[in-house]
Amino acid sequence: MPRFEIHKREQVALFAAAILVAIGGIIYELILGAAASYLVGDSILSFSLATGVTLFGMGIGSLLVNYIKIHPATSFATNEIVLGLIGGNSVLLMYTGFVFTRLHWAIFAIISLAIGICIGLEIPLLVKMFQKFGRKSSVRLFSKILALDYFGALVASLLFPLIMLPHLGLMRSAYLVAALNIAVAVLILRQMKASRVVLIVSIVATIVLSGLFVYATEIEKAIDKRTYKDPVMFQQQTPYQKIVLTRYKKDIRLFLNHNLQFSSLDEARYHETLSASALSSVASPKRVLIMGGGDGLLTRDVLKYSSVEHVTLVDIDESMTNLAKTNHLLTDINQRSLHDSRVNIVNQDAFQFAFSTQDKYDIVLIDLVDPSNERLAKLYSEQLYRQVGNILTEHGVMVTQATSSFFSPQAFYMVANTVKAAHPSRHIAAFSVNVPSFGEWGFVLSAPNADAVMSQPLPKGLRYQNQKLLTFLTKNNAVSVPSGPVSTLISPRITDVYNADMRQWRYYN
């Protein structure tokens, strides 16, 4: 075969390697940021550190390439193997560090730095290989490599959130990208006829990573047994969150991104308080909007009111609402509420729904997860609460969960002040109820006037709430909220305030 054909084939291999490593590098950054935000909750800090530390490592890697004297193809392949082994196990290492140590941020930084160094070595080593096989460095060469790198970044930014994360989860995604790195190593080694020893190592690494990919779910379950006190009955990573169900005797618990959402032993205290405080403040409520509450428990309690004709449940995660309709652990608790003909499930962002719906509601119940990251801040904003006021009927009532009045009092106050700012002409009541699995839990009610609150009788069949207790909570024992700042779309203060509140508690750090 003529030397020109071999040279052309080598160039194709090198350019293919350039785009493959670009895809892998960006996906590693996204995996690191997503894993840290799931485990810790602060998405801006997580993604900022993942990007910043990785880029810093890339700078170090670019400088270190000057000290590498061995064959560039062997160096490149070795670097890809190291990157694959570190990056592939990154989620496992971070998850293990979070569960078994208090050094998760240090582990996160070390892994990000190591991955960054390996990524930083890639393009300089690619250029060295081009030089080794007869192509001189030039602006044209660099522009082609960088163009492929940027194109790969676009592919990765679409591939990870739309395909890999929802279908594979974080851990399997990491192992798949690692296998991609090893595949690049094999491609280079075969085309460049580099070190046979490194080729054998790459094959062994591929086998190891493939095995870890296959058994990733079992590995995750084994770690989860240590994370959750009770046996894990179900777990799923969705595009939005990690869903885990545990059971110990009669206690069924739901966790979203490691945060407890309910215990079946005392959830009635929360859900009956949220629903009853609103529905008992409107005469014959007919149309109810629930934002969040994909587990169906709040819907169950709303349907106990005979006047209710239609319930719209808006939850962004279709996997959560499907689980609540099909998993017997949940259907036994929610009494198959999501199968009721009066219930319409809309899998959409609650913020977007509030601004797009043309309907009016007698009741709006906001049962969303706590504002632990910036993605959720808009759901606690003055703009959302104001829009909720616009879709309420003349006598309509809104009640939102408002985090713990004990564990996160400043966040609780901020929710109340934000609702006050959004509904200046309405009666606002902040109150709390004790839920043993959570502690004191806060709610904020917005009604047309004070006389409307608790003006109607409660339905039969409630496990915890009664007229006397709920009147005491919402009227006689309502919390006096000091004036303070509000949270808006432009200044989403609620996330910082909530996380500052929670950092003082040892279990949260």
Side-chain angles (χ1 to χ4, degrees):
M1 181 177 293
R3 173 61 187 165
F4 173 78
E5 293 298 326
I6 296 175
H7 184 65
K8 183 177 181 180
R9 189 173 62 187
E10 290 165 350
Q11 287 193 51
V12 171
L14 291 173
F15 281 126
I19 192 168
L20 289 173
V21 298
I23 293 172
I26 294 297
I27 290 178
Y28 278 136
E29 288 186 42
L30 295 172
I31 287 173
L32 289 168
S37 64
Y38 285 168
L39 295 173
V40 182
D42 192 332
S43 60
I44 285 185
L45 179 61
S46 298
F47 279 97
S48 295
L49 285 177
T51 302
V53 175
T54 303
L55 288 173
F56 175 71
M58 289 170 64
I60 295 175
S62 298
L63 293 174
L64 288 177
V65 75
N66 297 314
Y67 300 95
I68 298 176
K69 304 301 181 183
I70 58 178
H71 193 287
T74 301
S75 302
F76 183 85
T78 303
N79 182 65
E80 294 307 292
I81 294 169
V82 173
L83 177 58
L85 292 174
I86 296 174
N89 289 293
S90 58
V91 177
L92 176 62
L93 292 171
M94 289 176 61
Y95 197 14
T96 304
F98 180 81
V99 173
F100 298 108
T101 77
R102 300 181 65 81
L103 301 175
H104 43 275
W105 278 117
I107 294 171
F108 168 70
I110 292 170
I111 293 172
S112 299
L113 182 64
I115 288 176
I117 290 172
C118 290
I119 294 173
L121 286 167
E122 289 176 325
I123 289 181
L125 287 174
L126 274 171
V127 173
K128 275 193 170 186
M129 280 191 287
F130 274 108
Q131 294 174 332
K132 182 73 175 180
F133 293 98
R135 181 156 184 172
K136 296 181 180 180
S137 297
S138 66
V139 173
R140 186 176 180 183
L141 173 62
F142 275 110
S143 66
K144 282 188 176 181
I145 294 176
L146 289 177
L148 290 171
D149 191 66
Y150 299 146
F151 177 73
L154 173 62
V155 173
S157 65
L158 296 174
L159 189 64
F160 177 71
L162 298 179
I163 298 175
M164 296 181 70
L165 183 59
H167 296 288
L168 297 177
L170 279 178
M171 194 173 291
R172 284 193 170 190
S173 293
Y175 286 129
L176 182 62
V177 177
L180 178 67
N181 285 120
I182 305 300
V184 171
V186 173
L187 175 68
I188 294 301
L189 290 168
R190 286 179 61 85
Q191 292 297 322
M192 305 305 175
K193 297 182 176 58
S195 170
R196 188 176 297 272
V197 174
V198 180
L199 179 60
I200 294 172
V201 172
S202 68
I203 293 172
V204 172
T206 302
I207 295 171
V208 171
L209 290 169
S210 297
L212 290 169
F213 175 85
V214 172
Y215 290 100
T217 301
E218 284 69 23
I219 294 170
E220 193 171 354
K221 286 181 179 179
I223 299 174
D224 280 343
K225 288 181 180 179
R226 297 293 299 271
T227 306
Y228 303 98
K229 296 180 180 179
D230 303 331
V232 174
M233 308 306 295
F234 175 88
Q235 65 176 24
Q236 180 185 5
Q237 176 65 60
T238 78
Y240 306 102
Q241 58 202 349
K242 181 177 181 179
I243 304 171
V244 173
L245 279 173
T246 68
R247 179 175 68 182
Y248 176 73
K249 297 182 179 180
K250 294 183 178 180
D251 187 10
I252 309 298
R253 297 191 172 209
L254 171 67
F255 295 84
L256 299 179
N257 289 341
H258 302 279
N259 296 312
L260 177 64
Q261 301 304 302
F262 73 77
S263 163
S264 61
L265 298 181
D266 61 16
E267 54 83 15
R269 290 172 173 249
Y270 173 91
H271 292 106
E272 289 181 4
T273 301
L274 178 53
S275 59
S277 60
L279 280 94
S280 64
S281 302
V282 176
S284 300
K286 292 179 173 58
R287 298 183 60 84
V288 179
L289 170 63
I290 299 175
M291 295 181 172
D295 52 39
L297 274 65
L298 187 58
T299 302
R300 172 204 64 198
D301 290 338
V302 167
L303 293 174
K304 292 175 182 177
Y305 293 78
S306 58
S307 65
V308 171
E309 297 176 353
H310 185 83
V311 178
T312 300
L313 172 66
V314 181
D315 192 293
I316 195 171
D317 197 343
E318 185 177 7
S319 297
M320 183 68 249
T321 53
N322 286 340
L323 184 69
K325 292 175 67 176
T326 59
N327 186 286
H328 72 93
L329 295 176
L330 288 178
T331 56
D332 287 349
I333 304 171
N334 65 33
Q335 299 172 8
R336 298 181 61 81
S337 61
L338 301 190
H339 290 272
D340 194 289
S341 60
R342 292 170 288 174
V343 177
N344 177 40
I345 299 173
V346 179
N347 294 119
Q348 183 182 352
D349 178 80
F351 187 91
Q352 293 177 359
F353 179 88
F355 281 88
S356 63
T357 183
Q358 302 299 313
D359 296 323
K360 292 278 189 175
Y361 299 92
D362 301 309
I363 302 292
V364 175
L365 301 174
I366 303 179
D367 183 22
L368 298 162
V369 296
D370 288 348
S372 59
N373 63 65
E374 292 71 18
R375 180 172 60 87
L376 299 166
K378 66 182 180 181
L379 300 171
Y380 290 81
S381 66
E382 181 182 351
Q383 287 82 357
L384 175 67
Y385 296 140
R386 185 182 300 119
Q387 180 60 21
V388 168
N390 293 335
I391 62 176
L392 282 171
T393 58
E394 182 182 356
H395 303 291
V397 170
M398 180 200 86
V399 178
T400 179
Q401 82 90 2
T403 81
S404 173
S405 57
F406 179 77
F407 290 109
S408 51
Q410 300 307 314
F412 170 65
Y413 295 150
M414 180 167 283
V415 172
N417 280 311
T418 304
V419 174
K420 285 182 179 179
H423 299 171
S425 62
R426 292 169 64 87
H427 171 73
I428 309 300
F431 58 98
S432 63
V433 66
N434 184 268
V435 183
S437 58
F438 291 125
E440 287 294 318
W441 207 261
F443 303 89
V444 176
L445 178 149
S446 171
N449 52 68
D451 292 336
V453 179
M454 291 302 299
S455 59
Q456 306 298 318
L458 298 183
K460 295 180 180 179
L462 298 184
R463 292 162 49 197
Y464 174 73
Q465 277 299 349
N466 58 64
Q467 201 84 23
K468 184 176 180 180
L469 174 59
L470 196 52
T471 299
F472 173 76
L473 293 175
T474 57
K475 288 189 170 184
N476 303 336
N477 199 42
V479 178
S480 176
V481 178
S483 298
V486 303
S487 189
T488 68
L489 291 177
I490 302 300
S491 299
R493 298 170 176 169
I494 187 68
T495 299
D496 291 337
V497 171
Y498 174 81
N499 286 323
D501 275 344
M502 296 302 290
R503 286 191 194 101
Q504 65 184 313
W505 302 103
R506 182 177 299 177
Y507 74 87
Y508 187 76
N509 293 318

